[in-house]
Amino acid sequence: MPAPIDDGFLSQLDSLAGSKSSGAIAESNNAQDYSLLAQQLQALIDNETDDVANLANCAALLHQELAEISWVGFYLLKHEQLVLGPFQGATVSPRLALGEAICGTAALMRKAINVADVQHFPGYQARDSEARSEMVLPLWREELLLGVLDITSTKVERFDFCDQQGLETLMQMLVAQLTL
C-alpha cells in the first residue's frame, strides 16, 4: 500500500494552483500560465529521485492543467527505438521506430514538431479518432536524446509557439531531475 501523501505537500500544490478552480489553463496560454506549471512541476519533482514517478507526475500535471488535451505522455529511447513510458489517456502502441509517426519523426529530426492538423501529417497513426493536433518535444541531456514528450489535442491548431516555449522549459526542468 502506498504511503499517504504529506498534508504539507498537498497544501503546497494547492497554493501553487492559485484560483483556477477548473484546473485547466485556458486557450489563451501565456508565460504566466507556464510559470505556474513550472512551480507545480518543481514541487512534484524536487524531492523525488525515481524517474518513473517524476515522468508520471509530469504527464498527469500536464493532462490535468492544460485545456483541450486528450493524451500526454513520454516515449523513452531504448535500443534505438521509442518505448512507451508514463502517460495519461487511451492506450497506444508501446513501441515506435525512429522516424515513425510524429514522435519518431521528432526524435529522428532532433527537434520539436507542432502539427496543426494531424490528418495532414504523412504516416500519422491515429490512436484517438478525435485527435486533431499534436506537439512532440525531444528530451535532451547534453547531446544525448532521452526520448520525447507527446501531447495530443482534440482541437485543430491547439498548440502555438508559446506552448512550445513553455513546454520546453518544463522539460528542461524535468530532464535535470532524471537519471535516465
Side-chain angles (χ1 to χ4, degrees):
M1 173 182 258
I5 296 175
D6 177 74
D7 287 337
F9 178 72
L10 287 176
S11 170
Q12 181 183 12
L13 287 179
D14 284 344
S15 70
L16 291 173
S19 62
K20 295 185 183 298
S21 59
S22 71
I25 288 180
E27 291 178 44
S28 60
N29 293 323
N30 61 39
Q32 186 174 359
D33 293 329
Y34 280 99
S35 174
L36 175 60
L37 280 176
Q39 292 173 39
Q40 291 172 308
L41 179 60
Q42 197 64 55
L44 289 168
I45 66 176
D46 252 351
N47 296 310
E48 182 54 62
T49 58
D50 186 83
D51 289 341
V52 173
N54 286 329
L55 291 165
N57 268 334
C58 182
L61 176 68
L62 295 175
H63 192 262
Q64 173 183 309
E65 296 296 328
L66 295 176
E68 299 171 317
I69 300 301
S70 57
W71 196 93
V72 59
F74 296 93
Y75 278 91
L76 304 175
L77 186 63
K78 295 183 180 184
H79 308 292
E80 297 303 310
Q81 64 180 336
L82 295 171
V83 179
L84 183 64
F87 70 94
Q88 296 280 310
T91 58
V92 295
S93 175
R95 294 177 187 272
L96 295 170
L98 293 177
E100 181 183 359
I102 299 170
C103 288
T105 302
L108 188 64
M109 294 175 64
R110 308 255 195 261
K111 68 177 200 172
I113 296 180
N114 178 5
V115 180
D117 186 344
V118 295
Q119 304 303 318
H120 299 295
F121 188 86
Y124 176 68
Q125 296 180 354
R127 64 173 161 251
D128 176 355
S129 62
E130 295 184 20
R132 294 296 175 256
S133 60
E134 187 165 350
M135 171 151 312
V136 179
L137 300 167
L139 305 177
W140 293 95
R141 178 176 299 116
E142 297 166 12
E143 295 296 315
L144 180 66
L145 177 68
L146 304 177
V148 297
L149 167 69
D150 182 17
I151 305 180
T152 303
S153 174
T154 57
K155 179 182 176 189
V156 173
E157 297 181 355
R158 161 59 181 85
F159 306 103
D160 61 21
F161 188 65
C162 289
D163 290 304
Q164 182 177 332
Q165 287 182 313
L167 291 165
E168 285 174 344
T169 298
L170 294 175
M171 293 308 100
Q172 289 169 357
M173 293 171 52
L174 179 63
V175 166
Q177 189 73 17
L178 298 177
T179 60
L180 297 172

